[in-house]
Amino acid sequence: TEVPQPPNFPPVWSSVPTANYTSVGYDAGELDVVFSSDCSAGPSQQRMKTIYPDGYTVLTLCDQGLNYIIDPGSRGGGCEIWEIDEDSDTCQF
């Protein structure tokens, strides 16, 4: 019997995954990350946003080939722009 493929993610979605980084001898606690993605215009045009608990934010804009790294005030409040390597799996150019 052939098993059907699972459904794809919808073109636009968001989630708040939680991970516990505690290990033996180190109580790191949980890390709640807010993640959203819009792939409605196709993989090469997708846009993603990740926000970490302290407000550190990463915007990935595949149509520009750039990641915008935005630091919260607690990290200095700066902004950096990183190019996305075309050989990465981040965006399907």
Side-chain angles (χ1 to χ4, degrees):
T1 307
E2 187 173 324
V3 176
Q5 290 289 332
N8 291 327
F9 277 110
V12 178
W13 61 277
S14 64
S15 70
V16 183
T18 299
N20 190 319
Y21 289 91
T22 299
S23 60
V24 176
Y26 179 70
D27 182 13
E30 292 183 347
L31 177 63
D32 298 325
V33 177
V34 178
F35 181 80
S36 60
S37 177
D38 181 350
C39 198
S40 59
S44 66
Q45 302 293 311
Q46 70 181 310
R47 298 167 168 263
M48 297 170 279
K49 178 170 67 172
T50 306
I51 304 173
Y52 295 89
D54 68 349
Y56 181 81
T57 302
V58 178
L59 300 174
T60 301
L61 305 177
C62 293
D63 59 330
Q64 296 179 14
L66 299 173
N67 281 318
Y68 293 86
I69 313 300
I70 304 164
D71 293 332
S74 64
R75 293 191 186 196
C79 180
E80 295 181 38
I81 300 172
W82 298 355
E83 288 187 27
I84 299 170
D85 183 352
E86 288 191 25
D87 293 331
S88 77
D89 290 332
T90 303
C91 301
Q92 302 298 312
F93 293 97

